Amino acid sequence: MNTIEIKEKLLSKKILCSLFGHKIITTRNVTNHFKEFKCTVCQLELTNDEKGRKTFLTPELKEINETLIGFYNKRIHSV
């Protein structure tokens, strides 16, 4: 598969999601209030922000979620 075919497939998936909406599933529970999500069609990754809205999962937010998991697990296991 060459790069042109790969770009066409990615573009067609993004067009499908823009027309019909994303099919979002929960991929990981960070805490009781924060989760990570992923679109099953275009592989778009999302997470909750501080206000509870979904936002794009950037490398910075991914690192923040990893830190939250560590703090959350320490708190749960120390009780």
Coordinates of all heavy atoms in Angstrom, one line a residue:
M1 N 0.9 -1.2 0.0 CA 0.0 0.0 0.0 C 0.9 1.2 0.0 O 1.7 1.4 0.9 CB -0.9 0.0 1.2 CG -1.9 1.0 1.2 SD -3.0 1.0 2.7 CE -3.9 -0.5 2.5
N2 N 0.7 2.1 -1.0 CA 1.6 3.3 -1.0 C 0.9 4.4 -0.3 O -0.2 4.3 0.3 CB 1.8 3.7 -2.5 CG 0.5 4.0 -3.3 OD1 -0.4 4.4 -2.6 ND2 0.6 3.9 -4.6
T3 N 1.7 5.5 -0.2 CA 1.2 6.6 0.7 C 0.0 7.3 0.1 O -0.8 7.8 0.9 CB 2.3 7.7 0.8 OG1 2.7 8.1 -0.5 CG2 3.6 7.1 1.5
I4 N -0.2 7.3 -1.1 CA -1.5 7.9 -1.7 C -2.7 7.1 -1.3 O -3.7 7.7 -0.9 CB -1.4 8.0 -3.2 CG1 -0.2 8.9 -3.7 CG2 -2.7 8.4 -3.8 CD1 0.1 8.9 -5.1
E5 N -2.6 5.8 -1.3 CA -3.7 5.0 -0.9 C -4.0 5.2 0.6 O -5.2 5.2 1.1 CB -3.5 3.5 -1.1 CG -3.5 3.1 -2.6 CD -3.0 1.7 -2.8 OE1 -2.6 1.0 -1.9 OE2 -3.2 1.2 -4.0
I6 N -3.0 5.3 1.4 CA -3.1 5.5 2.9 C -3.8 6.8 3.1 O -4.8 6.9 3.9 CB -1.8 5.4 3.6 CG1 -1.2 4.0 3.5 CG2 -1.9 5.9 5.0 CD1 0.2 3.9 4.0
K7 N -3.4 7.9 2.4 CA -4.0 9.2 2.6 C -5.4 9.2 2.2 O -6.3 9.8 2.8 CB -3.2 10.3 1.8 CG -1.9 10.6 2.4 CD -1.2 11.7 1.6 CE 0.2 12.0 2.1 NZ 0.9 13.0 1.3
E8 N -5.8 8.5 1.1 CA -7.2 8.4 0.6 C -8.0 7.7 1.6 O -9.2 8.2 1.9 CB -7.2 7.7 -0.7 CG -6.7 8.5 -1.9 CD -6.7 7.8 -3.2 OE1 -7.0 6.6 -3.2 OE2 -6.4 8.4 -4.2
K9 N -7.5 6.6 2.2 CA -8.3 5.9 3.2 C -8.6 6.8 4.5 O -9.7 6.8 5.0 CB -7.7 4.6 3.6 CG -7.8 3.6 2.6 CD -7.3 2.2 3.1 CE -7.6 1.2 2.0 NZ -7.3 -0.1 2.4
L10 N -7.5 7.5 4.9 CA -7.7 8.4 6.1 C -8.6 9.5 5.8 O -9.5 9.8 6.6 CB -6.3 8.9 6.5 CG -5.4 7.9 7.2 CD1 -4.0 8.6 7.5 CD2 -5.9 7.4 8.5
L11 N -8.5 10.1 4.6 CA -9.4 11.2 4.3 C -10.8 10.7 4.2 O -11.7 11.4 4.6 CB -8.9 11.8 2.9 CG -9.7 13.0 2.4 CD1 -9.5 14.1 3.4 CD2 -9.2 13.4 1.1
S12 N -11.1 9.5 3.6 CA -12.4 9.0 3.5 C -13.0 8.7 4.9 O -14.2 9.0 5.1 CB -12.5 7.8 2.6 OG -11.8 6.7 3.2
K13 N -12.2 8.3 5.8 CA -12.7 8.0 7.2 C -13.1 9.3 7.9 O -14.1 9.4 8.6 CB -11.7 7.2 8.0 CG -11.6 5.8 7.6 CD -10.6 5.1 8.4 CE -10.5 3.6 7.9 NZ -9.5 2.9 8.7
K14 N -12.3 10.3 7.7 CA -12.5 11.6 8.3 C -13.8 12.3 7.7 O -14.6 12.9 8.4 CB -11.3 12.6 8.1 CG -10.2 12.2 9.0 CD -9.1 13.2 8.9 CE -7.9 12.7 9.8 NZ -6.8 13.6 9.9
I15 N -14.0 12.1 6.4 CA -15.2 12.6 5.7 C -16.4 11.9 6.3 O -17.5 12.5 6.6 CB -15.1 12.4 4.2 CG1 -14.1 13.4 3.7 CG2 -16.5 12.7 3.5 CD1 -13.8 13.2 2.2
L16 N -16.3 10.5 6.5 CA -17.5 9.8 7.0 C -17.8 10.3 8.4 O -19.0 10.5 8.7 CB -17.1 8.3 7.1 CG -17.2 7.5 5.9 CD1 -16.7 6.1 6.1 CD2 -18.7 7.4 5.4
C17 N -16.8 10.6 9.2 CA -17.1 11.1 10.6 C -17.6 12.5 10.6 O -18.5 12.8 11.4 CB -15.8 11.0 11.4 SG -15.4 9.3 12.0
S18 N -17.2 13.3 9.6 CA -17.7 14.7 9.6 C -19.1 14.7 9.1 O -19.9 15.5 9.5 CB -16.8 15.5 8.7 OG -16.9 15.1 7.3
L19 N -19.5 13.7 8.2 CA -20.9 13.7 7.8 C -21.8 13.0 8.8 O -22.9 13.5 9.0 CB -21.0 12.9 6.4 CG -20.4 13.6 5.2 CD1 -20.4 12.6 4.0 CD2 -21.1 14.8 4.9
F20 N -21.4 11.9 9.3 CA -22.3 11.1 10.2 C -22.0 11.1 11.7 O -22.8 10.6 12.5 CB -22.3 9.6 9.7 CG -22.7 9.4 8.3 CD1 -21.8 9.1 7.3 CD2 -24.0 9.7 7.9 CE1 -22.2 8.9 6.0 CE2 -24.5 9.5 6.6 CZ -23.5 9.1 5.6
G21 N -20.9 11.8 12.0 CA -20.5 11.9 13.4 C -19.6 10.7 13.8 O -19.5 9.7 13.1
H22 N -18.9 10.9 14.9 CA -17.9 9.9 15.4 C -18.7 8.8 16.1 O -19.7 9.0 16.7 CB -16.9 10.6 16.3 CG -16.0 11.6 15.7 ND1 -15.0 11.2 14.9 CD2 -16.0 12.9 15.7 CE1 -14.4 12.3 14.4 NE2 -15.0 13.3 14.9
K23 N -18.1 7.6 16.1 CA -18.6 6.5 16.9 C -17.5 6.3 18.0 O -16.5 5.6 17.9 CB -18.6 5.2 16.1 CG -19.7 5.3 15.0 CD -19.8 4.0 14.2 CE -20.9 4.1 13.2 NZ -21.0 2.9 12.4
I24 N -17.8 7.0 19.1 CA -16.9 7.1 20.2 C -17.1 6.0 21.2 O -18.3 5.7 21.7 CB -17.0 8.5 20.9 CG1 -16.5 9.5 19.9 CG2 -16.1 8.5 22.1 CD1 -16.6 10.9 20.4
I25 N -16.0 5.3 21.6 CA -16.1 4.3 22.7 C -15.1 4.8 23.8 O -14.1 5.5 23.5 CB -15.7 2.9 22.2 CG1 -14.3 2.9 21.6 CG2 -16.7 2.4 21.2 CD1 -13.8 1.5 21.4
T26 N -15.3 4.3 25.0 CA -14.4 4.6 26.1 C -13.3 3.6 26.1 O -13.5 2.4 26.1 CB -15.1 4.5 27.5 OG1 -16.3 5.4 27.5 CG2 -14.2 4.8 28.6
T27 N -12.0 4.1 26.0 CA -10.9 3.2 25.9 C -10.2 3.0 27.3 O -9.6 1.9 27.6 CB -9.8 3.7 25.0 OG1 -9.5 5.0 25.3 CG2 -10.3 3.7 23.6
R28 N -10.4 4.0 28.2 CA -9.7 3.9 29.5 C -10.3 4.8 30.5 O -10.6 5.9 30.2 CB -8.2 4.2 29.3 CG -7.4 4.0 30.5 CD -5.9 3.9 30.1 NE -5.3 5.3 30.3 CZ -4.1 5.5 30.2 NH1 -3.3 4.6 29.8 NH2 -3.6 6.7 30.5
N29 N -10.6 4.3 31.7 CA -11.0 5.1 32.8 C -9.8 5.6 33.6 O -9.1 4.8 34.2 CB -11.9 4.3 33.7 CG -13.2 4.0 33.1 OD1 -13.7 4.7 32.3 ND2 -13.8 2.8 33.5
V30 N -9.6 6.9 33.5 CA -8.4 7.5 34.2 C -8.8 7.6 35.7 O -8.0 7.1 36.6 CB -8.1 8.9 33.7 CG1 -7.0 9.5 34.4 CG2 -7.7 8.7 32.2
T31 N -9.9 8.2 36.1 CA -10.5 8.2 37.4 C -12.0 8.1 37.3 O -12.4 7.8 36.2 CB -10.2 9.6 38.1 OG1 -10.8 10.6 37.4 CG2 -8.7 9.9 38.2
N32 N -12.7 8.3 38.3 CA -14.1 8.2 38.2 C -14.7 9.3 37.3 O -15.8 9.2 36.8 CB -14.8 8.3 39.6 CG -14.5 7.0 40.4 OD1 -14.2 6.0 39.9 ND2 -14.6 7.2 41.7
H33 N -14.0 10.4 37.2 CA -14.5 11.6 36.5 C -13.8 11.8 35.1 O -14.3 12.5 34.3 CB -14.3 12.8 37.3 CG -15.0 12.8 38.6 ND1 -16.4 12.8 38.7 CD2 -14.6 12.6 39.9 CE1 -16.8 12.7 40.0 NE2 -15.7 12.6 40.7
F34 N -12.6 11.2 35.0 CA -11.9 11.4 33.7 C -11.7 10.1 33.0 O -11.4 9.1 33.6 CB -10.5 12.0 34.0 CG -10.4 13.4 34.5 CD1 -10.4 13.7 35.8 CD2 -10.5 14.4 33.5 CE1 -10.4 15.0 36.2 CE2 -10.5 15.8 34.0 CZ -10.5 16.0 35.3
K35 N -12.0 10.2 31.7 CA -11.9 9.0 30.8 C -11.2 9.4 29.5 O -11.1 10.5 29.2 CB -13.3 8.5 30.5 CG -14.1 8.0 31.7 CD -15.5 7.6 31.3 CE -16.3 6.9 32.3 NZ -16.2 7.4 33.6
E36 N -10.7 8.4 28.8 CA -10.2 8.5 27.5 C -11.1 7.8 26.5 O -11.6 6.8 26.8 CB -8.7 8.0 27.4 CG -7.7 8.8 28.2 CD -6.3 8.3 28.0 OE1 -6.1 7.3 27.3 OE2 -5.4 8.9 28.7
F37 N -11.3 8.5 25.4 CA -12.2 8.0 24.3 C -11.5 7.8 23.0 O -10.5 8.5 22.8 CB -13.4 8.9 24.2 CG -14.1 9.3 25.4 CD1 -13.8 10.4 26.1 CD2 -15.1 8.4 25.9 CE1 -14.4 10.7 27.3 CE2 -15.7 8.8 27.1 CZ -15.4 9.9 27.8
K38 N -12.1 7.0 22.1 CA -11.5 6.9 20.8 C -12.6 6.6 19.8 O -13.6 5.9 20.1 CB -10.5 5.7 20.8 CG -9.7 5.6 19.5 CD -8.7 4.5 19.7 CE -7.6 4.6 18.7 NZ -6.5 3.6 18.9
C39 N -12.5 7.2 18.6 CA -13.5 7.0 17.5 C -13.1 5.7 16.9 O -11.9 5.5 16.5 CB -13.5 8.1 16.5 SG -14.6 7.8 15.1
T40 N -14.0 4.8 16.7 CA -13.7 3.5 16.0 C -13.5 3.6 14.5 O -13.0 2.7 13.9 CB -14.8 2.5 16.3 OG1 -16.1 3.0 15.8 CG2 -15.0 2.2 17.8
V41 N -14.0 4.7 13.9 CA -13.8 4.9 12.5 C -12.5 5.6 12.1 O -11.7 5.0 11.4 CB -15.0 5.7 11.9 CG1 -14.9 5.9 10.4 CG2 -16.3 5.0 12.3
C42 N -12.3 6.8 12.7 CA -11.1 7.6 12.3 C -10.0 7.5 13.3 O -9.0 8.2 13.1 CB -11.5 9.0 12.0 SG -12.1 9.9 13.4
Q43 N -10.1 6.8 14.4 CA -9.1 6.7 15.4 C -8.8 8.0 16.1 O -7.7 8.1 16.7 CB -7.8 6.1 14.8 CG -8.0 4.8 14.1 CD -8.7 3.7 14.9 OE1 -8.4 3.5 16.0 NE2 -9.7 3.0 14.3
L44 N -9.7 8.9 16.2 CA -9.5 10.2 16.9 C -9.6 9.9 18.4 O -10.5 9.2 18.8 CB -10.6 11.2 16.5 CG -10.6 12.5 17.2 CD1 -9.5 13.4 16.7 CD2 -11.9 13.2 17.0
E45 N -8.6 10.4 19.1 CA -8.5 10.2 20.6 C -9.0 11.5 21.3 O -8.6 12.6 21.0 CB -7.1 9.8 21.0 CG -6.7 8.5 20.5 CD -5.3 8.1 20.9 OE1 -4.4 9.0 21.0 OE2 -5.1 6.9 21.3
L46 N -9.8 11.3 22.3 CA -10.4 12.4 23.1 C -10.2 12.1 24.6 O -10.1 10.9 25.0 CB -11.9 12.5 22.8 CG -12.2 12.8 21.3 CD1 -13.7 12.5 21.1 CD2 -11.9 14.2 20.9
T47 N -10.4 13.1 25.4 CA -10.4 13.0 26.8 C -11.3 14.1 27.4 O -11.7 15.0 26.7 CB -9.0 13.0 27.5 OG1 -9.1 12.7 28.8 CG2 -8.4 14.4 27.3
N48 N -11.6 14.0 28.7 CA -12.4 15.0 29.3 C -11.5 16.1 29.7 O -10.3 15.9 30.1 CB -13.0 14.5 30.6 CG -14.0 13.4 30.3 OD1 -13.6 12.2 30.3 ND2 -15.3 13.7 30.2
D49 N -12.0 17.4 29.7 CA -11.2 18.5 30.3 C -11.8 18.8 31.7 O -12.6 18.0 32.2 CB -11.3 19.7 29.4 CG -12.7 20.3 29.2 OD1 -13.6 19.8 29.8 OD2 -12.9 21.3 28.5
E50 N -11.3 19.8 32.3 CA -11.7 20.1 33.7 C -13.1 20.5 33.8 O -13.7 20.4 34.9 CB -10.8 21.2 34.3 CG -10.9 22.6 33.6 CD -10.1 22.7 32.3 OE1 -9.3 21.9 32.0 OE2 -10.3 23.8 31.7
K51 N -13.8 20.8 32.8 CA -15.2 21.2 32.8 C -16.1 20.0 32.4 O -17.3 20.1 32.3 CB -15.5 22.4 32.0 CG -14.8 23.6 32.5 CD -15.2 24.8 31.7 CE -14.5 26.0 32.2 NZ -14.7 27.2 31.5
G52 N -15.5 18.8 32.1 CA -16.3 17.7 31.7 C -16.6 17.5 30.2 O -17.2 16.6 29.8
R53 N -16.1 18.5 29.4 CA -16.3 18.4 28.0 C -15.2 17.5 27.3 O -14.1 17.4 27.9 CB -16.3 19.8 27.4 CG -17.4 20.7 27.9 CD -17.2 22.1 27.3 NE -15.9 22.6 27.8 CZ -15.6 23.9 27.9 NH1 -16.5 24.8 27.5 NH2 -14.4 24.3 28.3
K54 N -15.5 17.0 26.2 CA -14.5 16.2 25.5 C -13.6 17.1 24.7 O -14.0 18.1 24.1 CB -15.2 15.2 24.5 CG -15.9 14.1 25.3 CD -16.5 13.1 24.3 CE -17.2 12.0 25.0 NZ -18.4 12.4 25.8
T55 N -12.3 16.8 24.7 CA -11.3 17.6 24.0 C -10.3 16.6 23.4 O -10.2 15.5 23.8 CB -10.6 18.6 25.0 OG1 -9.7 19.4 24.2 CG2 -9.9 17.9 26.1
F56 N -9.5 17.1 22.4 CA -8.6 16.3 21.8 C -7.5 15.8 22.7 O -7.0 16.6 23.6 CB -7.9 17.0 20.6 CG -8.9 17.4 19.5 CD1 -9.2 18.7 19.3 CD2 -9.4 16.4 18.7 CE1 -10.1 19.0 18.3 CE2 -10.3 16.7 17.7 CZ -10.6 18.0 17.5
L57 N -7.0 14.6 22.6 CA -6.0 14.0 23.5 C -4.7 14.3 23.0 O -4.2 13.7 22.1 CB -6.2 12.5 23.7 CG -5.3 11.8 24.7 CD1 -5.6 12.3 26.1 CD2 -5.5 10.3 24.7
T58 N -4.0 15.4 23.5 CA -2.7 15.8 23.1 C -1.7 15.0 23.9 O -2.0 14.4 24.9 CB -2.5 17.3 23.3 OG1 -2.7 17.6 24.7 CG2 -3.5 18.1 22.5
P59 N -0.4 15.0 23.5 CA 0.6 14.4 24.3 C 0.7 14.9 25.7 O 0.9 14.2 26.7 CB 1.9 14.6 23.5 CG 1.5 14.8 22.1 CD 0.1 15.5 22.2
E60 N 0.5 16.2 25.9 CA 0.5 16.9 27.2 C -0.7 16.3 28.1 O -0.5 16.0 29.2 CB 0.4 18.4 27.1 CG 0.4 19.1 28.4 CD 0.2 20.6 28.2 OE1 0.3 21.1 27.1 OE2 0.0 21.3 29.2
L61 N -1.9 16.2 27.5 CA -3.0 15.7 28.2 C -2.8 14.2 28.5 O -3.3 13.7 29.6 CB -4.3 16.0 27.5 CG -4.8 17.4 27.5 CD1 -6.0 17.5 26.6 CD2 -5.1 17.9 28.9
K62 N -2.2 13.5 27.6 CA -1.9 12.1 27.9 C -1.0 11.9 29.1 O -1.2 11.0 29.9 CB -1.3 11.4 26.6 CG -1.4 9.9 26.6 CD -1.1 9.4 25.2 CE -1.8 8.1 25.1 NZ -2.2 7.7 23.8
E63 N 0.0 12.8 29.2 CA 0.9 12.7 30.3 C 0.2 13.1 31.6 O 0.5 12.5 32.6 CB 2.1 13.7 30.0 CG 3.2 13.6 31.0 CD 4.4 14.5 30.7 OE1 4.6 14.7 29.5 OE2 5.0 15.0 31.6
I64 N -0.7 14.1 31.5 CA -1.4 14.5 32.7 C -2.3 13.3 33.2 O -2.4 13.0 34.4 CB -2.3 15.7 32.4 CG1 -1.3 16.9 32.3 CG2 -3.3 16.0 33.5 CD1 -2.0 18.2 31.7
N65 N -2.9 12.6 32.2 CA -3.8 11.5 32.6 C -3.0 10.4 33.2 O -3.4 9.7 34.2 CB -4.5 10.9 31.3 CG -5.7 11.8 30.9 OD1 -6.1 12.7 31.7 ND2 -6.2 11.5 29.8
E66 N -1.7 10.1 32.7 CA -0.9 9.1 33.3 C -0.6 9.5 34.8 O -0.6 8.6 35.7 CB 0.4 9.0 32.5 CG 0.3 8.3 31.2 CD -0.2 6.9 31.2 OE1 0.2 6.2 32.2 OE2 -0.9 6.5 30.3
T67 N -0.3 10.8 35.0 CA 0.0 11.2 36.4 C -1.2 11.1 37.3 O -1.1 10.7 38.4 CB 0.5 12.7 36.3 OG1 1.6 12.8 35.4 CG2 0.9 13.2 37.7
L68 N -2.4 11.4 36.7 CA -3.6 11.3 37.5 C -3.9 9.8 37.9 O -4.3 9.5 39.0 CB -4.8 11.8 36.7 CG -5.2 13.2 36.8 CD1 -6.3 13.5 35.8 CD2 -5.6 13.6 38.2
I69 N -3.6 8.9 37.0 CA -3.7 7.5 37.3 C -2.8 7.1 38.4 O -3.3 6.3 39.3 CB -3.4 6.6 36.0 CG1 -4.6 6.8 35.0 CG2 -3.3 5.1 36.4 CD1 -4.3 6.1 33.7
G70 N -1.6 7.6 38.4 CA -0.7 7.2 39.5 C -1.1 7.8 40.8 O -1.1 7.0 41.8
F71 N -1.6 9.0 40.9 CA -2.1 9.6 42.1 C -3.3 8.9 42.6 O -3.5 8.6 43.8 CB -2.4 11.1 42.0 CG -1.2 12.0 41.9 CD1 -1.1 13.0 41.0 CD2 -0.1 11.7 42.7 CE1 0.0 13.8 40.9 CE2 1.0 12.6 42.7 CZ 1.1 13.6 41.8
Y72 N -4.2 8.6 41.7 CA -5.5 7.9 42.0 C -5.2 6.5 42.5 O -5.8 6.1 43.6 CB -6.4 7.9 40.7 CG -7.8 7.3 41.0 CD1 -8.7 8.1 41.7 CD2 -8.1 6.1 40.5 CE1 -10.0 7.6 41.9 CE2 -9.4 5.6 40.7 CZ -10.3 6.4 41.4 OH -11.6 5.9 41.6
N73 N -4.3 5.8 41.9 CA -4.0 4.4 42.4 C -3.4 4.4 43.8 O -3.7 3.6 44.6 CB -3.2 3.7 41.4 CG -4.0 3.2 40.2 OD1 -5.2 3.1 40.2 ND2 -3.3 3.1 39.1
K74 N -2.5 5.4 44.0 CA -1.9 5.5 45.3 C -2.9 5.8 46.4 O -2.9 5.2 47.5 CB -0.8 6.7 45.3 CG 0.5 6.3 44.8 CD 1.5 7.5 45.0 CE 2.8 7.2 44.4 NZ 3.7 8.3 44.6
R75 N -3.8 6.7 46.1 CA -4.9 7.1 47.1 C -5.8 5.9 47.3 O -6.2 5.6 48.5 CB -5.7 8.2 46.5 CG -6.5 8.9 47.6 CD -7.4 10.0 47.1 NE -8.7 9.4 46.9 CZ -9.6 9.8 46.1 NH1 -9.4 10.9 45.4 NH2 -10.7 9.2 45.9
I76 N -6.2 5.1 46.3 CA -7.1 4.0 46.5 C -6.4 2.9 47.3 O -7.0 2.3 48.1 CB -7.6 3.5 45.1 CG1 -8.4 4.6 44.4 CG2 -8.3 2.2 45.2 CD1 -9.7 4.9 45.1
H77 N -5.1 2.6 47.0 CA -4.5 1.5 47.6 C -4.0 1.8 49.0 O -3.7 0.9 49.8 CB -3.3 1.0 46.7 CG -3.8 0.4 45.5 ND1 -4.6 -0.7 45.4 CD2 -3.5 0.7 44.2 CE1 -4.9 -1.0 44.2 NE2 -4.2 -0.2 43.4
S78 N -3.8 3.1 49.4 CA -3.4 3.4 50.7 C -4.5 3.4 51.7 O -4.2 3.5 52.9 CB -2.7 4.8 50.7 OG -3.7 5.8 50.4
V79 N -5.7 3.4 51.3 CA -6.9 3.5 52.2 C -7.2 2.1 52.8 O -6.9 1.1 52.4 CB -8.1 4.0 51.5 CG1 -9.3 3.9 52.4 CG2 -7.9 5.4 51.1

